[in-house]
Amino acid sequence: MRTRMRRGVAAALTASALVLTAAACGGGEDEKKPAASGEAGGDKASAPAEEKPAASTEPLTAAQLKAATLVAADLGDGWKAAPIPADDEPAPKADKAECQPIADLMTEVPATASAKGEAADFEKGAEGDSALSQRAFTYEGTGAADLTKALGAALDACPKLSFTQDGEKVEMNIQKLPGAPKTAEESYAFVMDMPIPGLDMSIKAHLLIARQGTGITRAAYVPGQDPAAAKAFDALIPKIGDKLVKATQG
């Protein structure tokens, strides 16, 4: 992505990298509440279970998408806003159809989204060697849930992802992170590991996709040389997810 996501892919092919993209920690399931019970005439009678309001199928508003987007103050010491590069390129086409839902996220905003959404990029370190790129976007109807369902299946089916970009074959290893924190209604977190051809090194990006209602937040964290990358990513996940949850409630 020529945003921080795919721009990292292109940069990696020339050995000067930044970020990649797209998400695996299982989403939480709603807990069913037991029906209330009461006494009538000495016999126990089950009270009708309280009906939950139907989930909204309306896309998030521009104000909600803005509220779902991080600011540097949300991230803590050392983080600062970074320029957001323009990206109007479509998602790459995965070599295997079952992996396309992952590749579909490797663009600024998926083509199926109902609104362009909001973006925020950040960096940390004297030379910005850690980077975080976030996008918040929305869908109509069941589009957001359809996206996360397809992504979950792709993460199970694709321990490797490959596509061709600028005439070069790009290959990535996909590692799900089942121990990562859960957030929002549904979330997936994973590591995308891209070996650098001809060099004994790779670039790793930690990805989060979280859904709340019809809203999606996607974040890519590239830790630079941080040896505690996994722990740092775990700390970022609830901050990113909470912004989305609160935005949908506003």
Side-chain angles (χ1 to χ4, degrees), residues 60-225:
L60 301 186
T61 65
Q64 286 175 308
L65 290 172
K66 184 69 174 178
T69 307
L70 296 166
V71 296
D74 295 324
L75 299 174
D77 294 342
W79 286 101
K80 62 181 180 180
I84 302 173
D87 178 29
D88 57 1
E89 291 195 6
K93 184 176 181 179
D95 291 347
K96 294 182 179 180
E98 60 267 32
C99 303
Q100 189 60 40
I102 301 174
D104 283 342
L105 293 167
M106 298 179 68
T107 186
E108 185 175 7
V109 175
T112 51
S114 62
K116 184 175 178 62
E118 291 286 338
D121 282 11
F122 306 92
E123 59 187 16
K124 185 178 183 180
E127 298 181 2
D129 52 24
S130 291
L132 177 68
S133 183
Q134 185 211 4
R135 302 292 181 268
F137 44 94
T138 188
Y139 285 80
E140 294 180 353
T142 63
D146 293 342
L147 181 150
T148 50
K149 180 180 180 180
L151 178 62
L155 290 170
D156 286 336
C158 302
K160 293 183 180 294
L161 171 69
S162 60
F163 57 90
T164 300
Q165 177 173 296
D166 300 331
E168 296 282 350
K169 181 91 166 186
V170 181
E171 296 185 345
M172 301 175 183
N173 299 314
I174 307 297
Q175 179 186 357
K176 300 198 306 183
L177 296 174
K182 298 178 182 180
T183 190
E185 283 185 62
E186 190 176 16
S187 63
Y188 293 90
F190 63 92
V191 172
M192 185 176 286
D193 184 357
M194 185 175 68
I196 307 300
L199 297 176
D200 187 20
M201 63 174 291
S202 66
I203 300 171
K204 292 185 179 181
H206 293 63
L207 283 298
L208 169 71
I209 298 292
R211 179 185 69 83
Q212 184 72 18
T214 59
I216 295 282
T217 190
R218 179 195 65 209
Y221 169 60
V222 174
Q225 301 303 311

